[in-house]
Amino acid sequence: MEYGFLDESGDVGHAEGSSCNLIIVVVVTDNPTRLRKVVAKTRKGLNKRRKDIPEFKAFKTDVRIIKRLLKHAAQTECEIVALIANRKVMGDLDDPEILYRQLCASAVRRCLERHPQLSLCVDKRYTNPHLREKQNTAILKEISSLQEAILVIEHAESESESVLQVADAVAWALFQKHERGDESFYRLVKDKIVIEELWKTK
């Protein structure tokens, strides 16, 4: 059994200032404890104020801390699966959350094609149980043709499951590359990326 931790960077909105790209990342490992230690190592040596931060959210955390976290992650046995959707070439959707759900489903399928047994932890984007169920349904529909696949899905807060903070930092690093043209953070984890796919609608 492998363990996957899914998070995203970017948004699905169409307001001024919305991102061009939506990026889904799944960090896969056979031992989540190793990745939890990545966050613990990142905290070690920080001053008390920073050490007491409940969670490291890449978009609002000092970039030096995120760089440190990414370096520790790169030294850990894991794989990174990333799907990138450029929303500007897709047009508007009646329900913009459909893109998020489809991208998640495709990313999970890529993981299961590599590892047929997967316990998936998804960052709890939705507080509404109905929306979480719609996300689960989209994933299960996407993988229905993988006859040997075994998938367990749970939704968790990144404050309580620290590996989601690693996934968040990795997604942010890919966002800096694809949205900002800054590859400096991406290069720190590049060797761990097994799939980096520009996603297209079916």
Side-chain angles (χ1 to χ4, degrees), residues 16 33 63 69 99 102 109 112 126 149 172 175 179 195:
E16 185 176 349
T33 299
V63 295
L69 190 155
L99 175 60
Q102 289 179 340
R109 183 184 178 94
L112 284 165
Y126 300 119
W172 181 84
F175 184 82
E179 185 82 8
I195 295 175

Side-chain angles (χ1 to χ4, degrees), residues 23-99:
I23 297 172
I24 299 295
V25 157
V26 186
V27 178
V28 181
T29 180
D30 64 354
N31 187 344
T33 299
R34 294 194 193 110
L35 285 171
R36 293 184 185 114
K37 288 180 179 178
V38 164
V39 178
K41 286 180 183 178
T42 302
R43 287 186 183 281
K44 189 175 181 180
L46 297 178
N47 61 40
K48 186 178 187 306
R49 179 177 62 83
R50 290 179 170 178
K51 191 178 291 187
D52 290 343
I53 296 172
E55 61 178 317
F56 296 131
K57 281 286 190 184
F59 78 94
K60 62 179 180 181
T61 302
D62 188 319
V63 295
R64 292 170 295 183
I65 296 175
I66 298 305
K67 186 174 288 189
R68 185 174 177 175
L69 190 155
L70 291 169
K71 286 179 178 178
H72 287 314
Q75 296 168 359
T76 306
E77 193 65 35
C78 66
E79 294 180 352
I80 296 168
V81 172
L83 267 64
I84 303 98
N86 185 327
R87 300 188 303 105
K88 299 300 184 183
V89 302
M90 293 182 179
D92 294 345
L93 296 172
D94 292 336
D95 178 2
E97 290 296 325
I98 290 175
L99 175 60

Side-chain angles (χ1 to χ4, degrees), residues 1-189:
M1 176 74 76
E2 299 291 314
Y3 300 85
F5 298 85
L6 184 153
D7 207 344
E8 86 279 353
S9 190
D11 57 70
V12 296
H14 291 283
E16 185 176 349
S18 294
S19 67
C20 294
N21 294 283
L22 176 64
I23 297 172
I24 299 295
V25 157
V26 186
V27 178
V28 181
T29 180
D30 64 354
N31 187 344
T33 299
R34 294 194 193 110
L35 285 171
R36 293 184 185 114
K37 288 180 179 178
V38 164
V39 178
K41 286 180 183 178
T42 302
R43 287 186 183 281
K44 189 175 181 180
L46 297 178
N47 61 40
K48 186 178 187 306
R49 179 177 62 83
R50 290 179 170 178
K51 191 178 291 187
D52 290 343
I53 296 172
E55 61 178 317
F56 296 131
K57 281 286 190 184
F59 78 94
K60 62 179 180 181
T61 302
D62 188 319
V63 295
R64 292 170 295 183
I65 296 175
I66 298 305
K67 186 174 288 189
R68 185 174 177 175
L69 190 155
L70 291 169
K71 286 179 178 178
H72 287 314
Q75 296 168 359
T76 306
E77 193 65 35
C78 66
E79 294 180 352
I80 296 168
V81 172
L83 267 64
I84 303 98
N86 185 327
R87 300 188 303 105
K88 299 300 184 183
V89 302
M90 293 182 179
D92 294 345
L93 296 172
D94 292 336
D95 178 2
E97 290 296 325
I98 290 175
L99 175 60
Y100 168 73
R101 291 194 287 267
Q102 289 179 340
L103 206 58
C104 287
S106 294
V108 174
R109 183 184 178 94
R110 302 296 183 275
C111 294
L112 284 165
E113 288 169 345
R114 296 178 59 83
H115 305 289
Q117 298 184 28
L118 183 70
S119 176
L120 179 70
C121 181
V122 180
D123 185 61
K124 192 181 283 186
R125 177 185 178 93
Y126 300 119
T127 56
N128 185 323
H130 174 66
L131 293 177
R132 290 200 298 271
E133 187 57 36
K134 288 182 76 170
Q135 184 177 9
N136 291 350
T137 299
I139 293 171
L140 294 174
K141 181 180 178 182
E142 176 66 25
I143 69 167
S144 60
S145 62
L146 301 178
Q147 296 183 355
E148 303 299 320
I150 298 174
L151 177 67
V152 178
I153 306 174
E154 68 167 323
H155 297 253
E157 303 281 358
S158 55
E159 187 172 336
S160 60
E161 176 47 85
S162 61
V163 186
L164 289 170
Q165 298 173 42
V166 178
D168 172 76
V170 172
W172 181 84
L174 275 114
F175 184 82
Q176 301 313 301
K177 173 191 173 182
H178 290 277
E179 185 82 8
R180 315 283 188 210
D182 177 2
E183 295 192 12
S184 59
F185 300 95
Y186 166 86
R187 286 195 292 267
L188 297 174
V189 291

